[in-house]
Amino acid sequence: MAVDTEGEVRCGNVREKTFQEILDDSEAFQRVLDRNQLQGKCGRCRYKFTCGGCGAMACFESGDLMGEDPTCSFEPEEDGRDLPADAPMTAVISKQP
């Protein structure tokens, strides 16, 4: 992510909102933070909440930031049995006040 000299960030302006507000209000950031949106093998991998793959490589390869990471050598099982039974259904993001 980059902030230009005018304070523009792709999802907002840090001169108009706090960076935290930009993150909280941005559909793009919220989508990236929701690991249940991962596609392909990343979406069914047991490590999706700790790794999530490389979104940059996924975007480069498929045009989808939430696509599977083409550089990952781990192969989860096709039927999702690779996920532990107690896997969380949503990623928990702690917010600082």
Side-chain angles (χ1 to χ4, degrees):
M1 176 185 316
V3 179
D4 70 18
T5 57
E6 297 301 315
E8 286 297 322
V9 179
R10 183 176 182 126
C11 297
N13 186 319
V14 294
R15 293 182 182 193
E16 297 169 3
K17 290 183 174 183
T18 66
F19 192 67
Q20 187 65 53
E21 289 172 324
I22 292 171
L23 292 176
D24 291 343
D25 296 342
S26 166
E27 285 184 36
F29 283 117
Q30 293 306 310
R31 182 172 180 237
V32 169
L33 292 174
D34 183 1
R35 298 295 176 91
N36 287 312
Q37 298 292 320
L38 289 169
Q39 303 296 310
K41 69 180 183 179
C42 291
R44 54 180 195 278
C45 181
R46 69 176 138 192
Y47 301 114
K48 73 179 181 179
F49 294 105
T50 54
C51 171
C54 179
M57 291 304 296
C59 190
F60 176 77
E61 184 74 20
S62 69
D64 183 3
L65 187 64
M66 301 306 284
E68 70 179 55
D69 179 353
T71 64
C72 179
S73 60
F74 184 75
E75 290 295 334
E77 295 197 25
E78 288 295 322
D79 61 4
R81 287 183 293 147
D82 192 46
L83 288 173
D86 61 347
M89 295 311 293
T90 57
V92 177
I93 307 295
S94 64
K95 293 185 180 180
Q96 299 292 327

